[in-house]
Amino acid sequence: SQTIHQWPATLVQPVGSPLSLECTVEGTSNPNLYWYRQAAGRGLQLLFYSVGIGQISSEVPQNLSASRPQDRQFILSSKKLLLSDSGFYLCAWSRSVSNTEAFFGQGTRLTVV
Amino acid sequence: SQQGEEDPQALSIQEGENATMNCSYKTSINNLQWYRQNSGRGLVHLILIRSNEREKHSGRLRVTLDTSKKSSSLLITASRAADTASYFCATVFNDMRFGAGTRLTVKP
């Protein structure tokens, strides 16, 4: 069966510090991968979308970046965090065929102080 | 940027009543999906409706899709306290984009 792992669950980081959030998927190959951010009480904002290794679409031009060094690994990074980067970050995957559901990790709650 | 917009933003009902949530979107879609989120957790998929379908059922869930109006609705029948959660629609064309969600509270 397929599983998605996202860590850490919570993170408190000072302004200006770097960030690395990791997401890995098991039990499938060539998944579509997503990073979303959710502000408190709000909807999900698509940050990055990847259909394969090295293929990443960025939706929001900001100080965040994403990489996909392996087929089932998706990393969200920042060189210098801003206060506005605080939020709930969710990783998700879906099969590469059309009309399939997405599966979400449990999320990382990031607080920038 | 977000694609769908849910309506209402919040809904409070008594156990046993039906809950209806609406979603409007702006661009073309391959399919539309509904997800549920318990507070502080990841999203769980509920139901998917393809762009060439008009209605779909799954247990107590009924979803409709009107592509001419670019809108969808989610009906939860005979609601339970355990249905209390946030509900999101997601539109899929190449990527997947979510609306702001409806916060449903079911009072026992």
Side-chain angles (χ1 to χ4, degrees), chain B residues 44-86:
Chain B
V44 176
H45 179 263
L46 296 175
I47 194 165
L48 180 155
I49 186 165
R50 302 183 183 198
S51 60
N52 61 352
E53 297 176 314
R54 294 296 168 257
E55 187 171 316
K56 203 162 184 179
H57 297 255
S58 176
R60 293 185 295 114
L61 305 180
R62 172 179 172 256
V63 169
T64 63
L65 178 64
D66 187 335
T67 53
S68 66
K69 295 181 179 179
K70 289 185 165 56
S71 67
S72 173
S73 67
L74 171 68
L75 169 67
I76 303 175
T77 60
S79 63
R80 306 165 182 169
D83 294 328
T84 294
S86 292

Side-chain angles (χ1 to χ4, degrees), chain A residues 34 36 38 41-46 49 59-60 88 90 98-102 104-107 109, chain B residues 1-2 30-31 33 35 37 40-45 48 50 88 94-101:
Chain A
Y34 305 82
Y36 294 92
Q38 185 178 31
R42 304 292 298 276
L44 278 70
Q45 178 187 31
L46 178 62
Y49 168 59
E59 287 299 312
V60 186
F88 191 50
L90 288 157
S98 61
N99 293 316
T100 59
E101 66 198 89
F104 281 79
Q106 289 303 300
R109 186 159 305 282
Chain B
S1 60
Q2 292 178 321
N30 289 333
N31 66 73
Q33 304 181 28
Y35 287 80
Q37 183 184 35
R41 306 297 298 275
L43 277 71
V44 176
H45 179 263
L48 180 155
R50 302 183 183 198
F88 297 89
N94 289 312
D95 52 32
M96 178 181 296
R97 295 171 187 258
F98 286 80

